[in-house]
Amino acid sequence: MSRLDETFRRLRARGERALVPYFTAGDPSLADTRRLVVEAAHRGADVVELGVPFSDPLADGPVVQRAGTRALAAGASVPRVLETVAALRAETDVPLVLLTYYNPVLAFGLKAFARTSVDAGVDGAIVVDMPPEESEPLASEAAAAGLDLVYMAAPTSTPPRVRLIAKKSRGFIYAVSLTGVTGERQELPADMATQIGAIRRVTTMPVCVGFGISTPGQVAAVGRVADGAIVGSAIVRLVEARAGSPSLVDDVGKFIAELKAPLREPLATSAVRARR
Amino acid sequence: MTRALPDARGHFGRFGGRFVPETLMAPLIELEQAWAAAKRDRKFQRRLADLLRDYAGRPTPLYFAERLSEQCGGARIYLKREDLCHTGAHKINNVLGQALLAERMGKRRVIAETGAGQHGVATATAAALLGLECEVYMGAEDVERQALNVFRMRLLGARVISVESGSRTLKDAINEALRDWVTNVRTTYYLLGSALGPHPYPMMVRDLHSVIGREARRQARAVLRRLPDVLVACVGGGSNAIGLFHRFIGDRRVRIVGVEPGGEGISTGRHGASMSAGAVGVLHGCMSYLLQSDDGQIATAHSISAGLDYPGVGPEHAYYRDLGRFEFVSVTDAEALEGFEALTRLEGIMPALESAHAVAYAMKLAKTLPRTKAIVIGLSGRGDKDVHVVAKALGKQIG
């Protein structure tokens, strides 16, 4: 059983849902990323997503795009992020999932990426522009190395596609809440519960929801229907605002604690029963 | 061999495919099915054929450039005159087909990316013709250097969105168009303008431009009473080139040469020659040759011609390059300017700077071949839009 599986099993047993914060690795520096991840784990992050920047992030909105540009300027790359993860493993055992695009992975080498990631202490990877149909070359290397590949399910995914995604995904399923790019939104999509319900019907695998989730209130709403909430742009924007400030790590830590709070309240509702 | 590609998943050998976020997968499958149905629909095909003839001005002539050939003193040079198409470039062939498809699919809003502005103008034109809402993404740098086309698009009723991210050129315009499409995919048709992107775009764009090669083949048979010896076309994304080349792929005796933008020279690093200096990678939904760093970050291309200023190339070109069927060469900015001046002075035909790359290489090649040989250049567009760029490069003032 992988560290991701254990984490979600433990949370389920406690009636908790996961908080999954996202950081762009290398923003503002890889050393800061290291401190931020340790602090996030300390303040209640259950899984941490680390973005490996790509020059052409077509699924990302302006906030994560800007972070990627800063991270590339700071020298972030697949090998440097993996070094950072290896160093992090001396300080935390929080599950770590890399989030990136196919080209940097391909350039590093599919086999090398899978093996080096696992050796460094990475638990999973999400390759945004690699749908199940194109996944075989990397998936076979990931399976051999013991790296969990997480796939995204979108509001446009048809039922057969959701089944395919559920079959291929390891660790959890990343439910993209909306049709659009990453970034904060005022409201959660009205049909989110329906979408999660459609995924639940074909799998018992944990479902985490991301895209457009930025406030404790929105996290609480996600927590009522899903196993976890992924928060990206709101955290990245805070990192951007506090970069260079001595309070960076503490301010981000406080925000993460606020986001986690509503997910600690045990659920005795239909959502829990639906998972059984 | 040419009929079977791409395969059911959009692969040309190891190239092509569909490397996109999950949100776009179902819409791309829907698009693929809609295109297959439209191809079988006689009414759709007749309407497209009528528009290509009466509106776009097809067939375009195959013109013997006698004075240019004499000047080179070797092979005879023929021009496939796509510059005579409505809106001034081959782009209209693809746009009319896809705009009709958008209408058939019930999408009333179309978006497009554009580099030189030719595809944007063609899309805005088709949108005006069919009464569709149109928004065009264009890199901020291209907005500056192609101001004439920006104004043309606005006159046609399109909204032009200047893209400030990344290298502020075609690559970034495609990123922004894809972000728009991910957001508005249920109501919007993405009218992609080159033979790249996720399946089915490379196939669909090729299908729609292959009229160029079908005509050229028929015309060559009538004029030369045989097939040409060499085909030469410029390659940015590669839409005009695949259009000219595709029908000839099975004709083993016909040499096929794609001309890439050599910019300031391959050795300077400031160029757009992804075949000559790139490596296999994934960008904008497909696997192909790309200009990129060792870490897999996409490099910035450079060319005097905005339409060739792209760090990748269509996947079908990559496939036939690896197979040895297509050759790829590069021509520098300076050589392209010489090609531009030669064709203008000797034939009274002012080519687009993109097409001038093909002219420049064909002139070099003609000198090495005997008079019995025939070269066909894909003259993809006319040069009016580039006059100010040429003036600047020659150190001259307009007016």
Side-chain angles (χ1 to χ4, degrees):
Chain A
M1 178 174 277
S2 77
R3 186 150 41 189
L4 283 168
D5 295 334
E6 280 168 22
T7 299
F8 284 101
R9 198 160 75 160
R10 195 176 63 240
L11 288 166
R12 277 184 181 185
R14 292 207 299 248
E16 269 186 47
R17 278 80 57 222
L19 176 69
V20 185
Y22 166 93
F23 297 99
T24 297
D27 174 33
S29 71
L30 286 165
D32 284 314
T33 299
R34 203 173 136 182
R35 283 190 283 274
L36 287 166
V37 170
V38 172
E39 179 71 7
H42 180 64
R43 299 286 195 128
D46 299 290
V47 175
V48 174
E49 267 184 27
L50 275 183
V52 182
F54 176 50
S55 54
D56 294 79
L58 58 84
D60 285 307
V63 172
V64 176
Q65 284 179 48
R66 287 200 301 271
T69 304
R70 290 192 297 270
L72 286 172
S77 61
V78 170
R80 302 263 341 257
V81 172
L82 293 180
E83 285 166 23
T84 303
V85 170
L88 263 170
R89 278 293 172 235
E91 300 171 78
T92 177
D93 59 359
V94 68
L96 291 169
V97 176
L98 300 183
L99 188 143
T100 189
Y101 290 80
Y102 197 69
N103 202 52
V105 175
L106 186 66
F108 191 75
L110 302 181
K111 188 177 200 160
F113 176 79
R115 288 196 173 177
T116 316
S117 292
V118 169
D119 289 348
V122 171
D123 297 284
I126 306 167
V127 183
V128 179
D129 56 349
M130 185 187 75
E133 285 87 340
E134 300 288 354
S135 67
E136 176 46 36
L138 180 60
S140 55
E141 297 298 347
L147 181 71
D148 285 342
L149 283 186
V150 176
Y151 291 82
M152 289 173 159
T156 51
S157 302
T158 55
R161 295 199 60 76
V162 173
R163 278 193 291 278
L164 179 65
I165 289 157
K167 202 176 114 198
K168 293 263 182 184
S169 222
R170 296 286 175 272
F172 64 96
I173 291 171
Y174 188 135
V176 176
S177 71
L178 47 83
T179 56
V181 294
T182 59
E184 297 144 89
R185 308 288 199 283
Q186 292 290 324
E187 309 274 338
L188 290 176
D191 56 356
M192 189 181 72
T194 316
Q195 189 203 346
I196 307 306
I199 299 173
R200 295 270 194 228
R201 271 195 289 283
V202 301
T203 182
T204 54
M205 185 172 284
V207 178
C208 296
V209 181
F211 282 46
I213 296 154
S214 55
T215 65
Q218 290 172 335
V219 167
V222 168
R224 284 192 281 276
V225 293
D227 302 278
I230 303 165
V231 180
S233 293
I235 292 170
V236 172
R237 200 164 47 79
L238 185 60
V239 171
E240 180 177 56
R242 298 287 190 279
S245 152
S247 70
L248 167 70
V249 171
D250 193 45
D251 289 349
V252 171
K254 277 180 193 147
F255 184 47
I256 285 178
E258 285 169 32
L259 293 169
K260 175 64 189 182
L263 299 175
R264 290 190 198 279
E265 293 157 23
L267 275 189
T269 61
S270 58
V272 173
R273 282 197 299 276
R275 286 185 216 128
R276 302 266 156 77
Chain B
M1 142 183 175
T2 60
R3 296 284 149 79
L5 290 173
D7 68 17
R9 285 183 176 181
H11 290 256
F12 300 88
R14 64 174 165 154
F15 300 106
R18 230 177 225 152
F19 292 87
V20 292
E22 173 60 24
T23 308
L24 293 180
M25 284 303 288
L28 283 168
I29 292 164
E30 185 195 346
L31 177 61
E32 180 191 352
Q33 289 164 350
W35 176 238
K39 277 213 282 193
R40 289 190 304 268
D41 179 350
R42 288 220 180 131
K43 235 175 93 189
F44 179 92
Q45 289 302 331
R46 195 173 320 121
R47 196 158 165 228
L48 176 59
D50 287 352
L51 280 177
L52 287 175
R53 187 189 63 223
D54 303 332
Y55 187 76
R58 302 209 72 89
T60 58
L62 183 69
Y63 167 76
F64 175 40
E66 195 170 355
R67 299 229 309 141
L68 184 72
S69 304
E70 271 172 24
Q71 167 85 16
C72 296
R76 283 168 297 160
I77 299 174
Y78 292 79
L79 309 177
K80 179 59 178 162
R81 298 288 307 275
E82 294 299 298
D83 60 314
L84 293 177
C85 287
H86 180 43
T87 71
H90 72 290
K91 295 290 186 188
I92 195 79
N93 304 324
N94 167 47
V95 162
L96 287 173
Q98 286 201 55
L100 288 179
L101 184 63
E103 191 184 54
R104 195 175 191 274
M105 293 174 76
K107 314 251 175 175
R108 302 302 303 174
R109 176 177 181 262
V110 297
I111 55 170
E113 81 296 340
T114 196
Q118 294 302 91
H119 174 59
V121 167
T123 304
T125 299
L129 176 69
L130 299 178
L132 303 172
E133 186 192 337
C134 177
E135 297 191 28
V136 180
Y137 289 91
M138 189 168 186
E141 186 174 319
D142 295 333
V143 168
E144 285 158 30
R145 58 182 169 173
Q146 300 287 346
L148 181 65
N149 273 342
V150 173
F151 193 60
R152 287 169 80 194
M153 286 184 264
R154 288 182 178 143
L155 286 173
L156 288 160
R159 197 172 140 231
V160 180
I161 301 159
S162 179
V163 177
E164 296 285 348
S165 59
S167 62
R168 306 161 85 234
T169 61
L170 179 57
K171 157 178 99 75
D172 312 283
I174 298 177
N175 288 339
E176 254 347 275
L178 282 166
R179 288 178 188 125
D180 181 319
W181 201 37
V182 163
T183 307
N184 302 300
V185 67
R186 290 184 174 109
T187 57
T188 297
Y189 184 96
Y190 180 19
L191 211 163
L192 215 160
S194 201
L196 44 82
H199 182 60
Y201 285 107
M203 172 183 79
M204 186 163 59
V205 174
R206 173 201 74 196
D207 288 350
L208 287 165
H209 280 307
S210 59
V211 64
I212 303 171
R214 282 201 306 274
E215 286 176 8
R217 201 165 185 279
R218 195 172 62 234
Q219 291 164 326
R221 279 194 186 282
V223 175
L224 305 168
R225 296 203 188 79
R226 61 182 178 87
L227 297 180
D229 300 284
V230 191
L231 305 176
V232 179
C234 65
V235 177
S239 68
N240 95 87
I242 200 69
L244 176 63
F245 298 167
H246 191 250
R247 186 62 187 80
F248 292 92
I249 289 169
D251 301 316
R252 308 303 303 189
R253 282 184 36 259
V254 179
R255 253 180 91 184
I256 297 179
V257 186
V259 185
E260 293 195 292
E264 293 169 15
I266 305 285
S267 61
T268 66
R270 286 180 55 76
H271 61 81
S274 35
M275 290 291 196
S276 312
V280 174
V282 167
L283 178 67
H284 296 146
C286 65
M287 186 172 289
S288 190
Y289 283 95
L290 300 175
L291 298 177
Q292 56 179 316
S293 72
D294 292 344
D295 288 332
Q297 307 299 338
I298 307 304
T300 302
H302 167 82
S303 171
I304 191 169
S305 108
L308 302 182
D309 206 340
Y310 182 73
V313 63
E316 194 162 9
H317 287 290
Y319 174 76
Y320 285 113
R321 170 210 138 121
D322 275 14
L323 221 59
R325 181 65 188 99
F326 294 0
E327 300 165 46
F328 287 89
V329 297
S330 69
V331 151
T332 63
D333 290 350
E335 290 169 322
L337 277 168
E338 286 169 23
F340 177 95
E341 287 187 284
L343 196 65
T344 303
R345 289 293 178 90
L346 292 167
E347 299 287 348
I349 297 171
M350 208 174 279
L353 280 174
E354 291 80 12
S355 324
H357 284 72
V359 173
Y361 181 74
M363 288 173 67
K364 268 201 268 188
L365 182 65
K367 289 172 188 161
T368 68
L369 298 174
R371 283 168 194 280
T372 52
K373 299 288 184 187
I375 299 174
V376 171
I377 299 176
L379 201 74
S380 55
R382 69 176 188 225
D384 312 47
K385 69 183 176 64
D386 293 319
V387 166
H388 65 291
V389 178
V390 172
K392 196 175 157 200
L394 298 176
K396 295 192 174 144
Q397 295 273 323
I398 296 176

